[in-house]
Amino acid sequence: MTLPRRLQPLHDLMLNLRWSWHTPTVELLSSIDPEAWERAGGDPVAMLSALRPGKLDELAADEGFLHRLDEVVADLRDYTTQPRWYQSGEPGAFEELPRGIAYFSPEYGITAVLPQYSGGLGILAGDHLKSASDLGVPVIGVGLLYRHGYFTQSLSADGWQAERYPADDPNGLPLTLLRGNDGDPVHVTVTLADGKLLIAQVWLAQVGRVPLLLLDSYVAENEPALHEVTDRLYGGGTEHRLRQELLLGVGGVRAVREFCQITGHAEPEVFHTNEGHAGFLGLERIREYQATGLAFDEALELTRAGTVFTTHTPVPAGIDRFPRDLVERYLAPVAAEHGLPLDRTLALGAETYPGGDPHVFNMAVMGMRLAQRVNGVSLLHGRVSREMFAGLWPGFDTGEVPVGSITNGVHAPTWVAPEISALGDSAAVADADPGRLWEIRKQLRARLVTETRRRLRDSWRQRGASGAELTWIDDALDPDVLTIGFARRVPSYKRLTLMLNDPERLASLLSDPERPIQIVIAGKAHPADEGGKRLIQQMVRFADAETVRNRLVFLPDYDMALARYLVQGCDVWLNNPLRPLEACGTSGMKVALNGGLNLSVRDGWWDEWYDGGNGWEIPTADGVAEPARRDELEASALYELLAKDVAPLFYDAGPDGVPGGWVQMMRHALRTLGPRIPADRMVGDYVRNLYAPAARSSRALDSGDRGGARDLAAWKQRVRQAWPEVRIEHVEADGAELSLGASLNVVVTAALGGLSADDVSVEVVYGRPGDDDEIGEPSYLALTPGEPAPGSGSWPDSGPGSLARFSGTVELGRPGPFGYTVRILPRHPLLASRAELGLVTYPDAPAGMTNGDLR
């Protein structure tokens, strides 16, 4: 498309995806031709391509439009060039912050115009990049460009999900091809099994200040079968997925190197792996370090120091696990070419823990072994992940497993309705006039109803219905009725059909003559998930019934465009997964920022931030083992809440038509959730708690001649070799008279196997014992090294078999039963956690369990 000279700034404006969340830019673009904008689905490139002849010339002569264009372009220039939060010094001393961060994800939900996402993982990744841009965090995004995206969903006449994979031409998307200084497209190459080469070109999507690099295997240099590596998101068989993940990880690092060299962007000091799909990036970084002369172990330490790994799944079934022999076949040529020890490389993904399968290569396990910092995406998910991966750190309490948590957030400018954002931040919205706030909520609900009717009509026509059969859709839903939203992927644990547990009771709630409810439902099942498709069919068949179809609808093809209508227009967001299988869930966050309320099982983020007054908790029957009985109990609780709490509060309006109690709960939800939910908070947490510490660790190992990496690798090797000889010889304690406020003096004699006291920490582990004599919620006291034990020689350099003493005092400050034990574990200032090496030594028997009862 050729633009008139005066309209040339439109080109850069359209290619920067900031327009997808910047209201003034959207208003400018949509004003060019509102009807064409609507037909194009809010895609500026498609809209301009469809304009009538002469329209662009008219715009080029429209001084009012040109003035607005200049203002928006100037605002974008300031946004992308002026210092922001990251440069302000607020996050901490600038020299401690990473100069660059590479963020890898298999999918990105930036805008519906760029359909490179399937669900929550991609939407989260898109929101992460947008908020990083808003804050000025120097992130480079890395992903794959799928020619067919995820899939487009439709329904058959009997309600069965059907999939289509329309092809997207990158030349028609808001992307540019990354070219070298010679003008030729940049290519990156990845070695596959049998030495085959996979070549990819790199497309650039500009997300505000953040470049997003998308690798594309559709290049002439590839053999035909390899063109298809980037065909579909989460498509194909096991080997296909492995090829995609090798391209994402290994090819992604190489694309980052090319991009930085061409553009002058700062090389990343931190690499953030968003779920295990991109875990092979760690192997590529090890290869890079080895090429500079480091040994494998030294390269591994440098790689780990600068890597952050985020896990998003609370269930083992959600993790990519490849046959070990398949991974070996793919990694063997790389190992041979670059001197990587194949056995050590394969060991990174080995399930070497009780219950593990020695025949698989686990991508999440590799991610954790290649990252010094690991996190889940909510407090509850962090706890679940520590339990799930505890086998990697045997001997440590679950609470010590080095998996932290940063709770997800959402990008408010993307998801908050303009009418709400015009009132200000969440605190300002909460303080708005009740009548004004309620009027906006009515407008957003009416907008959702209108869009639902349009989509419902399109769906029924696609299913084969004639226009004469669809007159009922004109009255489907009611803009004045309590509207509940339920939309997500459809794995079984999210329980799409829990609300159908008692169909008659649900129907009575929908048709209540005084306090009716209506429900808008959407969601996709994975194409290979027959069980998920059956759940959708069950829901669709219920929704098709004439008795309920005007109050409950299922909308196919859930995407970002539909999600915006739902999260802005719903009064209540329903979420009823099997606890604790929801890692976080962010749709309800978006609803809350728009003044909606959450009705949810205490899972994910809701477990963390629900306070009893900012929404409703669906009670769970966690202790009930029989699934059908559990569903029955929780569905009954849901019906009770809807009938006795939710609906009465919504319809209890005063003389002015405003339900005062409902608005009060909205305000409380905005005040308590509003400061926590935004992705700006989330990205700030990553910067302070993970990115900056990772950069410091990486610099400590990388300084000078990389002596830090060499020393740490050598120290770990020495400790591992010596550890079988480390043992606790004797424990003395003088706390015979235990009472509240007393002290327990502990002296430990330990054999250090040739290590020094600087290499270890000897600790007292103490607290309240449970029925099994295990200490729950233990506290820890590091003992102080003293003189060598009698007859042990001149410590600390007395060699193998030397004995040393450590002593300290435990203050017994809590009433009730008391127990303690002692242990030895490695200690080094460059370890990120006490459990990092997975080594710990306890006495042969507990030292002092149930050693007293403090009153």
Side-chain angles (χ1 to χ4, degrees), residues 446-687:
R447 187 183 300 162
L448 171 60
V449 168
T450 299
E451 178 66 10
T452 298
R453 290 172 180 170
R454 183 189 71 78
R455 288 176 177 258
L456 191 61
R457 182 173 282 104
D458 288 347
S459 176
W460 274 83
R461 283 176 174 163
Q462 193 278 330
R463 294 172 67 190
S466 65
E469 298 175 82
L470 302 181
T471 55
W472 64 272
I473 292 179
D474 294 335
D475 298 316
L477 305 188
D478 184 328
D480 293 320
V481 165
L482 169 61
T483 303
I484 297 171
F486 184 102
R488 51 193 41 86
R489 292 183 303 110
V490 190
S492 59
Y493 76 86
K494 291 182 182 283
R495 297 194 294 184
L496 167 69
T497 56
L498 182 71
M499 67 181 79
L500 302 183
N501 195 271
D502 186 341
E504 292 183 1
R505 192 166 183 188
L506 176 60
S508 69
L509 289 169
L510 296 170
S511 60
D512 188 288
E514 296 182 358
R515 296 192 291 256
I517 66 172
Q518 56 194 16
I519 309 177
V520 183
I521 302 168
K524 292 180 176 180
H526 187 279
D529 183 4
E530 296 293 307
K533 291 181 181 181
R534 283 192 291 273
L535 294 176
I536 289 175
Q537 185 179 50
Q538 182 184 352
M539 179 60 72
V540 172
R541 287 177 171 175
F542 179 83
D544 284 351
E546 292 187 15
T547 54
V548 300
R549 67 186 184 185
N550 67 327
R551 285 285 183 264
L552 185 146
V553 300
F554 183 93
L555 299 178
D557 210 24
Y558 183 43
D559 63 3
M560 287 185 71
L562 174 55
R564 282 171 58 88
Y565 284 102
L566 281 166
V567 301
Q568 292 172 8
C570 287
D571 300 296
V572 172
W573 195 255
L574 174 62
N575 189 32
N576 47 232
L578 277 170
R579 187 181 190 273
L581 302 185
E582 182 88 275
C584 182
T586 57
S587 296
M589 294 181 176
K590 299 160 192 166
V591 172
L593 290 183
N594 281 286
L597 297 171
N598 278 268
L599 170 62
S600 178
V601 166
R602 288 283 294 272
D603 204 0
W605 74 276
W606 192 237
D607 179 74
E608 187 174 336
W609 293 342
Y610 169 70
D611 69 1
N614 53 9
W616 296 273
E617 170 195 0
I618 302 173
T620 58
D622 292 358
V624 177
E626 212 287 303
R629 177 58 177 161
R630 178 173 179 174
D631 285 354
E632 179 184 355
L633 291 171
E634 295 185 12
S636 179
L638 170 61
Y639 300 140
E640 287 292 304
L641 280 168
L642 288 171
K644 296 182 179 179
D645 293 279
V646 181
L649 192 66
F650 180 87
Y651 288 105
D652 185 18
D656 57 358
V658 177
W662 187 275
V663 172
Q664 188 60 33
M665 183 176 280
M666 286 170 51
R667 287 174 148 178
H668 178 65
L670 285 161
R671 291 189 180 106
T672 57
L673 301 176
R676 299 170 169 176
I677 285 174
D680 285 5
R681 184 272 314 155
M682 174 189 73
V683 173
D685 287 348
Y686 274 102
V687 167

Side-chain angles (χ1 to χ4, degrees), residues 207-224:
V207 186
R209 298 167 68 109
V210 171
L212 170 58
L213 309 180
L214 300 172
L215 280 68
D216 171 20
S217 62
Y218 283 82
V219 296
E221 291 83 354
N222 280 330
E223 60 182 69

